[in-house]
Amino acid sequence: IAAQARNQLLRCINVGGSWHQVWVIPQGIARVGADMKVIDVNPRMAALLRTDPQKMVGTAVAGYLHPEEFERVYEVFQPLW
Protein backbone atom coordinates (compact mmCIF):
# COMPACT_ATOMS: atom_id res chain seq x y z
CA ILE A 1 0.00 0.00 0.00
CA ALA A 2 2.89 2.39 0.70
CA ALA A 3 4.18 1.82 -2.85
CA GLN A 4 0.74 2.64 -4.27
CA ALA A 5 0.60 5.88 -2.27
CA ARG A 6 4.11 6.82 -3.42
CA ASN A 7 3.23 6.18 -7.06
CA GLN A 8 0.03 8.23 -6.72
CA LEU A 9 2.00 11.14 -5.30
CA LEU A 10 4.57 10.87 -8.10
CA ARG A 11 1.71 11.24 -10.58
CA CYS A 12 0.83 14.68 -9.16
CA ILE A 13 2.29 18.13 -9.71
CA ASN A 14 1.98 21.29 -7.62
CA VAL A 15 0.83 24.25 -9.69
CA GLY A 16 0.20 27.57 -7.97
CA GLY A 17 0.00 25.94 -4.55
CA SER A 18 -2.53 23.27 -5.46
CA TRP A 19 -1.95 19.66 -6.50
CA HIS A 20 -3.12 18.30 -9.85
CA GLN A 21 -2.90 14.85 -11.35
CA VAL A 22 -0.34 14.81 -14.14
CA TRP A 23 -2.76 12.92 -16.37
CA VAL A 24 -5.23 15.79 -16.63
CA ILE A 25 -3.01 18.84 -17.14
CA PRO A 26 -2.39 20.24 -20.64
CA GLN A 27 1.42 20.00 -20.47
CA GLY A 28 3.26 16.94 -21.69
CA ILE A 29 5.07 15.26 -18.80
CA ALA A 30 7.16 12.09 -18.58
CA ARG A 31 8.71 10.49 -15.51
CA VAL A 32 12.14 9.11 -16.37
CA GLY A 33 14.35 6.71 -14.39
CA ALA A 34 18.07 6.97 -13.72
CA ASP A 35 18.58 4.64 -16.68
CA MET A 36 17.02 7.36 -18.87
CA LYS A 37 14.02 5.18 -19.74
CA VAL A 38 10.43 6.35 -19.51
CA ILE A 39 8.63 5.17 -16.36
CA ASP A 40 5.32 7.01 -16.85
CA VAL A 41 3.99 9.47 -19.38
CA ASN A 42 0.78 11.47 -19.47
CA PRO A 43 -1.52 11.37 -22.51
CA ARG A 44 -0.53 14.89 -23.61
CA MET A 45 3.17 13.98 -23.88
CA ALA A 46 2.33 10.91 -25.93
CA ALA A 47 0.07 12.99 -28.19
CA LEU A 48 2.84 15.54 -28.73
CA LEU A 49 5.11 12.70 -29.84
CA ARG A 50 2.32 11.06 -31.87
CA THR A 51 2.38 7.77 -30.02
CA ASP A 52 0.48 5.91 -27.29
CA PRO A 53 1.49 6.33 -23.63
CA GLN A 54 1.81 2.55 -23.19
CA LYS A 55 4.25 2.35 -26.10
CA MET A 56 6.54 4.95 -24.50
CA VAL A 57 6.90 3.20 -21.13
CA GLY A 58 10.24 1.42 -20.99
CA THR A 59 11.69 3.19 -24.01
CA ALA A 60 14.87 5.27 -23.97
CA VAL A 61 14.49 9.04 -23.80
CA ALA A 62 17.30 9.29 -26.35
CA GLY A 63 14.88 7.96 -28.97
CA TYR A 64 12.78 11.11 -28.69
CA LEU A 65 15.56 13.71 -28.71
CA HIS A 66 18.23 14.90 -31.11
CA PRO A 67 21.59 13.44 -29.93
CA GLU A 68 22.98 16.85 -28.94
CA GLU A 69 19.82 17.66 -26.96
CA PHE A 70 19.97 14.28 -25.22
CA GLU A 71 23.55 15.00 -24.11
CA ARG A 72 22.44 18.35 -22.68
CA VAL A 73 19.46 16.80 -20.88
CA TYR A 74 21.63 14.02 -19.48
CA GLU A 75 24.19 16.50 -18.13
CA VAL A 76 21.49 18.66 -16.53
CA PHE A 77 19.69 15.80 -14.79
CA GLN A 78 22.65 13.54 -13.91
CA PRO A 79 23.33 15.30 -10.58
CA LEU A 80 19.81 14.33 -9.44
CA TRP A 81 20.74 10.64 -9.47
Side-chain angles (χ1 to χ4, degrees):
I1 296 197
Q4 289 175 339
R6 178 185 58 88
N7 285 337
Q8 183 64 29
L9 181 59
L10 289 171
R11 291 185 178 121
C12 294
I13 187 169
N14 190 313
V15 179
S18 60
W19 289 93
H20 302 274
Q21 287 196 359
V22 169
W23 313 117
V24 296
I25 63 173
Q27 294 83 4
I29 296 178
R31 189 164 55 120
V32 178
D35 60 357
M36 295 302 288
K37 291 188 178 178
V38 177
I39 297 170
D40 283 324
V41 60
N42 73 349
R44 179 64 179 147
M45 177 61 81
L48 288 168
L49 297 171
R50 298 176 188 229
T51 188
D52 295 323
Q54 298 84 3
K55 289 182 180 179
M56 290 184 69
V57 173
T59 61
V61 171
Y64 301 100
L65 300 173
H66 185 278
E68 290 176 9
E69 181 64 9
F70 177 75
E71 286 180 30
R72 187 189 73 76
V73 168
Y74 186 81
E75 288 176 15
V76 168
F77 288 101
Q78 189 178 24
L80 297 176
W81 303 310

